[in-house]
Amino acid sequence: DAKTTQPNSMESNEEEPVHLPCNHSTISGTDYIHWYRQLPSQGPEYVIHGLTSNVNNRMASLAIAEDRKSSTLILHRATLRDAAVYYCIPIGYNTNAGKSTFGDGTTLTVKP
Amino acid sequence: DAGVIQSPRHEVTEMGQEVTLRCKPISGHNSLFWYRQTMMRGLELLIYFNNNVPIDDSGMPEDRFSAKMPNASFSTLKIQPSEPRDSAVYFCASSLATLPTDTQYFGPGTRLTVL
């Protein structure tokens, strides 16, 4: 399975953009890059996913490097409610969605 | 939709007792996952089902753990006998299938404390 590396923690000020990096250098060509986040005392929730192209949705943007060995989750204007643990997870036809491994993630702190 | 429903939300039991955790997936979802989360080990996948059939239970820690999915709308995770090291938050998640584009929807979790 593809391994991921994320910083343990990051801080941001409220209403400023946040860039959360993830390295996945062993990702296979058919693995999708998923991001989930876990708010305090809740289960993880889906944020966004992509394969090769950059992706946008109402929650965030996902920028995928051209070689696909890294990606960056972008929160355009962080709010206090965005404080959570963010997980980057490669999921593919070979790795099988059931084998998705959440890893340790990045704990994002948002300061008012 | 009510989302994934788990019960109970909190469970406190004594070592040696049987514990049964319950999960109702989102209607129409064909895949169901059981996870365990602890501070030491993070979020671990225990087992997952596709169309009510267990596909991979390699994450189940030992024979004391068992999971069933008798129908598409219900699953149980049983621990017998329970031990203090089983204390954790147990999450159930469901998805349409197991394609790499499918999103997993998580329940609120069951916080288990074994004394």
Side-chain angles (χ1 to χ4, degrees), chain A residues 4 12 20 27 30 37 39 41 43 45 49 64-65 73 86 94 96 100-101 103-104 110:
Chain A
T4 61
S12 171
L20 298 166
I27 196 171
T30 55
R37 72 180 185 181
L39 303 172
S41 302
E45 65 175 355
H49 77 273
I64 301 172
L73 179 70
Y86 287 78
N94 292 328
N96 198 323
S100 56
T101 303
D104 294 330
V110 181

Side-chain angles (χ1 to χ4, degrees), chain A residues 65-87:
Chain A
E66 193 170 341
D67 62 7
R68 296 196 354 108
K69 292 184 177 181
S70 65
S71 61
T72 301
L73 179 70
I74 302 166
L75 307 179
H76 296 284
R77 291 182 62 191
T79 69
L80 297 179
R81 289 174 294 179
D82 291 322
V85 180
Y86 287 78
Y87 299 97

Side-chain angles (χ1 to χ4, degrees), chain B residues 23-41:
Chain B
C23 175
K24 177 179 170 57
I26 292 173
S27 178
H29 282 191
N30 295 321
S31 295
L32 183 140
F33 308 81
W34 281 102
Y35 292 85
R36 177 175 68 176
Q37 186 171 38
T38 61
M39 289 294 292
M40 291 295 293
R41 301 176 67 89

Side-chain angles (χ1 to χ4, degrees), chain A residues 34 36 38 43 46 96 98-99, chain B residues 37 45 48 56 58 100 103-104:
Chain A
H34 286 244
Y36 283 76
Q38 187 171 18
Y46 168 81
N96 198 323
K99 283 288 192 180
Chain B
Q37 186 171 38
L45 177 65
Y48 77 96
D56 190 334
S58 60
T103 299
Q104 291 188 30

Side-chain angles (χ1 to χ4, degrees), chain A residues 88-99:
Chain A
C88 161
I89 310 155
I91 300 176
Y93 292 99
N94 292 328
T95 58
N96 198 323
K99 283 288 192 180

Side-chain angles (χ1 to χ4, degrees), chain B residues 5 24 34 36 41-42 49 54 87 93 100 104-105 110-111 113:
Chain B
I5 299 172
K24 177 179 170 57
W34 281 102
R36 177 175 68 176
R41 301 176 67 89
F49 297 82
S87 297
Q104 291 188 30
Y105 295 85
T110 295
R111 181 173 296 276
T113 302

